[in-house]
Amino acid sequence: MLTPHHRLNPLLLVALASVSWPISNFTEGKRLRKRVVQDHRGVKDNINDGGYHRDDVEYFIRHLQHFSMPDVDDDTPSSHPTERPTVASSLPPINSTFEPSPRSTPFPVASTPLPSEAISTPAPSKEPVTDSPTQSISTTAPTGVCGLTNASRTEQIQSILRNVSLESDLDNPSSPQGRASQWIINEDILRVCPENERELVQRYVAAVFYFSVGGGSWGQCNAPDDLNDAAAVDKANADCKLSTNTFPDDASGSNAWLTASNECEWGGIACLPEKENCPLCLDEISFESNGLVGTLPFELGELTEMRRLALQRGGLQSSIPTELASLSKLLVLDIDYNELTGELPIDLFESWLDMKEFDLNNNRLSGTISSRIGNMETLKFIQLDNNQFTGTIPTQLGELKELVFMSLANLELNGMMPSQVCSNRGNPTDPTDGNLAVLIADCATPNPKVFCECCSGCGV
């Protein structure tokens, strides 16, 4: 124990601080010990010179005997790690030179620094300090899902989605696109990776559809309030009874929307089977009387493998997006009994060349029926009644030789039913003679809008 009469030299304090410090760099530690021992040998030789008190020397020598450092006298490099903690930089440099304190100067006990204080407040060095190499610390952010940081995954997904939706829509957190983007990046339990771009875009578009057409207020198959609550998810899945089997080989299910299952298992969706060239590509969206409201998102045009889009008996109020022309494999478009407005985009008739069923009755569609409808040569069923179409019936409808049913009643069309159409009727009194079994127009007397001698029925 130090007593008031001890007169301590700063070099001895460094030795005390050094042996108290847990050194991990053994090579540096050996050199330090050799230096301290050599200095103490010099101290012992000069005890009688009055520079140090004998009790001081004996105290520190006894302390050094407990210093747990290998007794090695050479500077052979050690096999132990050479990194030292960064706190080493606060120690006094080994090659610092201290002047011995005069014997006549008493050492004040009250100001004696503890070892930790000696470390944090080093004596000034007269020579430049050369820090020992410190252990490098990786600055790489931890990776999350997909082997990416959250920031990198977000950036890559947003970059992909900017090629699908308008940037202004994505930046609007209350838009269907903004909500779908935030969901697929932050909330979707499935955590799709940006490297799977097709799967990412398909799932995103399905989410855009959900938020665009009133998802959350549907009759059934709404997403649960808490996607992380297993009980809530199970209940939402149990409440969803919608399923579709238009194409028997398709993969489908009846889970609630936005849940962790593949979107092909959400109620009302079906996807191509695994054996196809585009496995699990979305093939069908089918809803009837499920409370759909809002607008048809143009992003549906990204689902280029889709063959059936059936959204009957809802409250959709938008026009038909031109982008749906990208659905070149579409066989069925059935969006009757909604509130669709605007004209039929001409591009649809240039692209839907395999269309079988074109059913848009009971909406508020306007404009004329394009003559390019004759390009849809595989059509079997057309129902456009109860809309606001104007003009005349295009003769090109007569080119639809496979047509079986056509209803053009309660419209604003006028003129004559083209003879080319009537020629597909065969014998008007025999529905089995000719493919066009049913032909309905506004031909009721006494004031017909359309004169039709071959019609099977007239609209009221």
Side-chain angles (χ1 to χ4, degrees):
M1 179 175 181
L2 297 179
T3 59
H5 75 273
H6 285 110
R7 298 177 178 88
L8 304 181
N9 181 268
L11 180 60
L12 300 182
L13 289 177
V14 174
L16 177 58
S18 301
V19 299
S20 301
W21 173 52
I23 301 176
S24 62
N25 185 330
F26 281 80
T27 301
E28 191 63 38
K30 290 184 296 181
R31 292 173 178 166
L32 177 59
R33 183 174 184 233
K34 286 177 63 181
R35 172 65 186 276
V36 172
V37 171
Q38 290 170 0
D39 287 337
H40 279 78
R41 288 171 183 167
V43 170
K44 292 173 66 178
D45 294 340
N46 294 282
I47 289 176
N48 297 326
D49 293 340
Y52 307 95
H53 194 283
R54 179 179 298 275
D55 291 344
D56 296 336
V57 175
E58 291 176 354
Y59 174 82
F60 287 109
I61 290 176
R62 286 198 304 273
H63 191 86
L64 284 169
Q65 290 173 350
H66 298 287
F67 181 46
S68 55
M69 181 63 64
D71 190 12
V72 181
D73 293 331
D74 58 64
D75 291 334
T76 304
S78 169
S79 61
H80 294 279
T82 59
E83 295 83 7
R84 65 167 61 179
T86 55
V87 71
S89 61
S90 64
L91 287 171
I94 295 173
N95 60 356
S96 298
T97 303
F98 295 89
E99 296 294 334
S101 301
R103 183 181 177 88
S104 60
T105 304
F107 187 82
V109 176
S111 61
T112 301
L114 296 174
S116 61
E117 293 172 340
I119 292 174
S120 61
T121 309
S125 173
K126 295 183 179 180
E127 296 180 14
V129 177
T130 303
D131 291 336
S132 299
T134 58
Q135 183 176 2
S136 61
I137 300 176
S138 174
T139 59
T140 303
T143 57
V145 294
C146 310
L148 302 169
T149 64
N150 289 336
S152 180
R153 177 177 177 270
T154 297
E155 182 180 356
Q156 291 185 37
I157 289 177
Q158 289 176 337
S159 177
I160 292 172
L161 299 187
R162 280 194 288 269
N163 294 323
V164 177
S165 298
L166 297 176
E167 189 167 353
S168 57
D169 289 338
L170 289 170
D171 291 341
N172 182 355
S174 62
S175 71
Q177 293 79 8
R179 296 173 68 186
S181 172
Q182 289 303 310
W183 169 77
I184 205 164
I185 291 173
N186 299 318
E187 302 170 30
D188 184 13
I189 308 300
L190 194 60
R191 306 293 277 175
V192 181
C193 296
E195 65 182 25
N196 303 319
E197 184 170 339
R198 185 193 65 77
E199 291 88 342
L200 171 68
V201 170
Q202 175 170 293
R203 194 166 176 85
Y204 165 74
V205 170
V208 171
F209 175 82
Y210 178 81
F211 291 118
S212 295
V213 298
S217 61
W218 292 348
Q220 55 181 312
C221 299
N222 295 294
D225 291 335
D226 187 351
L227 293 170
N228 294 292
D229 185 338
V233 171
D234 289 343
K235 183 180 186 304
N237 288 339
D239 291 343
C240 179
K241 308 298 183 183
L242 291 177
S243 61
T244 180
N245 61 350
T246 302
F247 308 104
D249 292 336
D250 276 5
S252 62
S254 59
N255 287 341
W257 281 57
L258 305 188
T259 53
S261 58
N262 188 289
E263 62 276 8
C264 298
E265 299 180 48
W266 297 347
I269 285 182
C271 295
L272 293 171
E274 293 281 358
K275 65 182 180 180
E276 296 293 335
N277 294 331
C278 189
L280 297 184
C281 283
L282 201 148
D283 193 21
E284 177 180 2
I285 300 178
S286 181
F287 285 95
E288 183 171 1
S289 301
N290 197 39
L292 271 64
V293 295
T295 62
L296 284 175
F298 70 83
E299 287 87 352
L300 287 174
E302 296 288 332
L303 307 177
T304 55
E305 299 294 320
M306 186 158 59
R307 293 184 291 174
R308 186 169 190 260
L309 180 60
L311 309 173
Q312 309 99 305
R313 299 180 182 275
L316 300 175
Q317 298 180 330
S318 68
S319 59
I320 298 176
T322 302
E323 288 80 1
L324 295 192
S326 298
L327 309 181
S328 60
K329 298 182 181 180
L330 199 63
L331 302 178
V332 176
L333 180 72
D334 189 355
I335 317 182
D336 61 11
Y337 292 95
N338 277 275
E339 299 178 32
L340 297 178
T341 59
E343 300 184 8
L344 296 177
I346 294 177
D347 291 346
L348 304 182
F349 304 117
E350 299 286 351
S351 178
W352 294 349
L353 303 182
D354 294 327
M355 183 71 68
K356 305 293 184 184
E357 181 178 341
F358 192 55
D359 192 356
L360 294 172
N361 63 283
N362 291 81
N363 280 282
R364 292 187 287 136
L365 295 166
S366 58
T368 62
I369 300 175
S370 173
S371 61
R372 298 184 184 182
I373 196 171
N375 294 330
M376 303 166 70
E377 295 179 353
T378 59
L379 267 176
K380 296 181 178 296
F381 184 99
I382 299 178
Q383 190 165 358
L384 300 178
D385 45 292
N386 294 299
N387 276 288
Q388 299 171 10
F389 292 117
T390 59
T392 59
I393 299 173
T395 59
Q396 287 78 6
L397 282 170
E399 299 174 8
L400 308 181
K401 301 300 182 180
E402 297 185 21
L403 197 60
V404 175
F405 181 101
M406 181 164 67
S407 179
L408 304 175
N410 297 318
L411 303 173
E412 298 301 322
L413 301 176
N414 55 67
M416 297 285 295
M417 178 65 66
S419 59
Q420 294 88 338
V421 174
C422 288
S423 65
N424 292 330
R425 285 275 293 139
N427 184 352
T429 62
D430 184 2
T432 63
D433 186 11
N435 290 321
L436 187 54
V438 177
L439 175 61
I440 302 173
D442 291 325
C443 53
T445 58
N447 298 307
K449 296 178 183 177
V450 175
F451 294 92
C452 182
E453 296 179 354
C454 62
C455 286
S456 60
C458 295
V460 179

